[in-house]
């Protein structure tokens, strides 16, 4: 069954359709959130995303655009959490830099670590485009930026990631 049909059925009050949507998209949403935040906050933010989805689903006008709508909600939730974290850190200790607890044990862990060190805007575009497999147009809609800006951020993000990985390689 397509997402569009599940959304329409969920909007009509069918709980099984909503449960299937959540089941289908729970892992991709959590994965996106986890790549943007640490594991501890990913669970909380993912729950916030699903609460927002349940509240907003009746107002979704384009059921066929469920995935970009869902990731827009996820992005907004991540952004809100990062803003509140940065505000608390600034008030508590302006010179302290929080480190990601991810340990680089295998290549994938090193990639996750390298991603965590990229600026948020570039990390977000890489995660949405490559890891969530969304189109440039969907990324543009989710981030509320022109498609050309998505392309330039992708270019910059790839360059920064490459530089970071090369720098780590030369230190090893």
């Amino acid at each position: 069954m397509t997402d569009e049909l599940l959304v329409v059925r969920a909007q009509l009050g069918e709980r099984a359709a909503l449960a299937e949507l959540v089941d289908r998209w729970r892992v991709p949403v959590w994965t996106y959130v986890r790549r943007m935040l640490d594991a501890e906050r990913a669970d909380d933010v993912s729950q916030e995303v699903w609460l927002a989805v349940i509240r907003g689903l009746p107002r979704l006008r384009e059921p066929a655009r469920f995935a970009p709508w869902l990731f827009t909600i996820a992005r907004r939730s991540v952004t809100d959490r990062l803003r509140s974290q940065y505000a608390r850190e600034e008030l508590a200790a302006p010179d302290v830099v929080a480190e990601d607890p991810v340990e680089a044990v295998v290549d994938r862990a090193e990639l996750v670590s390298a991603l965590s060190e990229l600026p948020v805007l570039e990390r977000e575009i890489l995660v949405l485009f490559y890891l969530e497999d969304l189109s440039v147009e969907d990324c543009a809609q989710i981030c509320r930026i022109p498609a050309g800006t998505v392309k330039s951020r992708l270019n910059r993000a790839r360059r920064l990631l490459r530089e970071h990985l090369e720098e780590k390689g030369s230190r090893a």
Side-chain angles (χ1 to χ4, degrees):
M1 189 174 312
T2 66
D3 288 343
E4 182 177 10
L5 183 56
L6 286 172
V7 168
V8 170
R9 290 173 71 177
Q11 288 175 326
L12 294 172
E14 189 177 317
R15 289 182 183 214
L18 179 60
E20 191 172 333
L21 270 176
V22 171
D23 188 51
R24 184 178 291 180
W25 287 97
R26 181 181 52 82
V27 172
V29 166
W30 186 88
T31 303
Y32 166 74
V33 172
R34 171 58 187 97
R35 287 174 174 145
M36 297 302 294
L37 302 170
D38 59 57
E40 185 178 310
R41 293 180 294 171
D43 290 334
D44 291 341
V45 172
S46 292
Q47 287 180 359
E48 291 170 14
V49 168
W50 288 110
L51 286 173
V53 166
I54 290 169
R55 287 184 189 125
L57 196 60
R59 295 184 306 277
L60 178 60
R61 291 191 178 131
E62 295 182 61
R65 302 288 299 157
F66 177 75
W69 177 76
L70 173 63
F71 280 100
T72 299
I73 292 171
R75 177 183 188 261
R76 196 172 305 127
S77 296
V78 166
T79 302
D80 290 347
R81 184 59 60 102
L82 287 172
R83 272 193 200 118
S84 66
Q85 173 195 341
Y86 293 149
R88 280 193 309 272
E89 286 176 3
E90 233 174 76
L91 290 174
D95 294 334
V96 175
V97 176
E99 291 189 26
D100 191 0
V102 177
E103 294 180 37
V105 179
V106 293
D107 289 343
R108 184 164 178 81
E110 289 176 13
L111 179 59
V112 170
S113 177
L115 275 173
S116 71
E117 295 184 26
L118 291 178
V120 173
L121 296 176
E122 284 75 13
R123 178 180 354 148
E124 175 180 57
I125 290 296
L126 281 177
V127 169
L128 289 171
F129 186 77
Y130 288 109
L131 303 178
E132 297 304 330
D133 202 29
L134 295 171
S135 69
V136 169
E137 293 75 22
D138 286 345
C139 292
Q141 180 184 350
I142 291 166
C143 297
R144 295 184 177 164
I145 56 176
T149 303
V150 169
K151 292 175 185 176
S152 65
R153 283 188 190 168
L154 275 170
N155 188 32
R156 181 170 191 266
R158 285 188 293 256
R159 182 179 46 79
L160 289 172
L161 185 60
R162 187 179 321 107
E163 289 170 3
H164 179 77
L165 292 172
E166 287 171 355
E167 181 180 308
K168 272 195 139 188
S170 66
R171 279 193 239 153

